[in-house]
Amino acid sequence: VSTQSTWAPYKQLAIRLPNNGFLYPSQADLKIFRHSVQRHRSVWSSLHRDEHSRFPKLVDFAKKLLNDASDIQIAVFYNFPEARLDFCALSHSLKKLVKICYEPGSPECEFDDAWQDA
C-alpha cells in the first residue's frame, strides 16, 4: 500500500496487488466503454459503468473509504494482453482518490488516469 500526492491537492491511496493467476472475463464478455485508451505506454480498454457490478467488493471498499460521497466516480481499465486490471474511484468533493491495481507478478506501473464518465 502506498500513498502519493501526484494528484495534488487530492489525497491518494494506491494499492498494488499481484493477480496470481486470477482469470478476468474475456474481452468478448465485457461491455467496453472505450477501446484503445493510451495508458502506461500501452493500449487499454475502459469498461462501461454497467460492468462495475462485476466488482462489488472493490466498489464497496472504495465507497467506504470515500465515506459514500455522492460524487464518487469509478473507472475500471483492462489490459488484456498484460492480464492487468486497474480499478479507480474518485471523490472531487472529498479530494480523495482510491486506486487498486491487479497485475501479474510484482506490480510496477504508476497510475496516470484521466477521468471520464462512462
Side-chain angles (χ1 to χ4, degrees):
V1 176
S2 64
T3 58
Q4 302 173 19
S5 59
T6 57
W7 278 61
Y10 287 80
K11 289 188 177 181
Q12 193 174 142
L13 173 66
I15 302 170
R16 295 181 176 95
L17 302 168
N19 70 2
N20 290 334
F22 174 74
L23 298 175
Y24 306 119
S26 72
Q27 190 168 7
D29 293 337
L30 293 168
K31 188 175 181 181
I32 305 294
F33 170 64
R34 202 171 50 184
H35 291 278
S36 302
V37 177
Q38 292 295 319
R39 301 176 69 241
H40 312 297
R41 296 178 299 258
S42 61
V43 178
W44 292 66
S45 294
S46 174
L47 298 188
H48 191 277
R49 72 175 64 198
D50 293 348
E51 296 293 348
H52 297 170
S53 63
R54 291 183 183 261
F55 309 98
K57 299 290 185 185
L58 294 178
V59 171
D60 291 346
F61 177 72
K63 285 182 175 181
K64 185 175 181 180
L65 286 176
L66 297 173
N67 300 321
D68 284 318
S70 62
D71 67 336
I72 294 174
Q73 292 178 311
I74 294 174
V76 181
F77 299 95
Y78 263 58
N79 185 307
F80 294 94
E82 294 181 17
R84 180 169 166 180
L85 175 134
D86 284 4
F87 174 92
C88 306
L90 169 76
S91 168
H92 290 292
S93 64
L94 296 176
K95 297 195 181 312
K96 290 183 179 179
L97 174 61
V98 176
K99 303 179 294 186
I100 303 168
C101 165
Y102 291 94
E103 67 180 52
S106 179
E108 306 173 2
C109 293
E110 294 296 321
F111 292 88
D112 60 358
D113 305 318
W115 284 90
Q116 300 282 331
D117 280 339

